[in-house]
Amino acid sequence: MMVTDPIADFLTRIRNAQMANHRIVEIPASNLKKRMTEILYDKGYILKYKFEDDSKQGVIKIALKYDAATKVPAIRSLERVSRPGLRQYSKPGEFQRVKNGLGIAIVSTSKGVMTDKEAKTQNVGGEVLCYIY
């Protein structure tokens, strides 16, 4: 099956796994998705992750994070911003705040994939891939 928007697929798999209360979700790997997974981990949205190599492109295994008491997923919303049909780019000073600064935006810049805050600090703009909070 050919996925036309691998990032939307990545976000949807995580969203669906959380709705079904799965502990672990497996996603076909790519360098971009690996970097996005690292950002999710660094910002505390997921418990842990593992990159596994199979014979093909490899798999990312993500351990999802839930609140111990309420069982509410750590990620409340995954929102695709830029999509193949309509790319969304932003200059360093024009990043929109996600949930009043509570969320993050993942941005693909010339210096690699990073959060909106990192991009602002390094003064680079780029394609706004998604919002997470």
Side-chain angles (χ1 to χ4, degrees), residues 18-132:
Q18 285 192 154
M19 286 166 101
N21 285 320
H22 288 308
R23 288 264 160 257
I24 289 168
V25 58
E26 289 189 16
I27 301 167
S30 74
N31 287 337
L32 176 62
K33 290 188 229 170
K34 283 180 181 174
R35 183 68 193 110
M36 288 174 70
T37 305
E38 284 163 5
I39 291 172
L40 286 177
Y41 177 74
D42 292 340
K43 300 292 171 210
Y45 287 108
I46 56 176
L47 278 177
K48 54 179 184 276
Y49 62 90
K50 195 158 89 204
F51 301 145
E52 290 189 354
D53 284 326
D54 54 11
S55 53
K56 302 184 289 297
Q57 63 181 17
V59 175
I60 304 171
K61 282 191 177 171
I62 298 177
L64 298 171
K65 190 173 181 180
Y66 298 95
D67 183 294
T70 60
K71 301 279 183 279
V72 175
I75 302 172
R76 287 197 198 80
S77 161
L78 294 154
E79 204 179 312
R80 183 78 163 110
V81 180
S82 186
R83 46 181 219 271
L86 182 62
R87 301 278 183 203
Q88 298 287 346
Y89 297 95
S90 223
K91 295 189 182 104
E94 292 173 4
F95 291 119
Q96 290 182 333
R97 293 176 69 193
V98 184
K99 267 295 196 216
N100 268 328
L102 294 174
I104 60 167
I106 296 182
V107 187
S108 176
T109 71
S110 55
K111 294 184 179 173
V113 178
M114 56 184 78
T115 64
D116 49 348
K117 291 180 183 72
E118 289 164 18
K120 216 175 250 174
T121 313
Q122 297 189 28
N123 200 31
V124 287
E127 185 182 343
V128 183
L129 301 176
C130 60
Y131 292 153
I132 294 158

Side-chain angles (χ1 to χ4, degrees), residues 3-17:
V3 181
T4 49
D5 187 357
I7 297 163
D9 177 64
F10 173 86
L11 299 173
T12 302
R13 281 175 193 242
I14 294 175
R15 209 180 293 122
N16 291 347

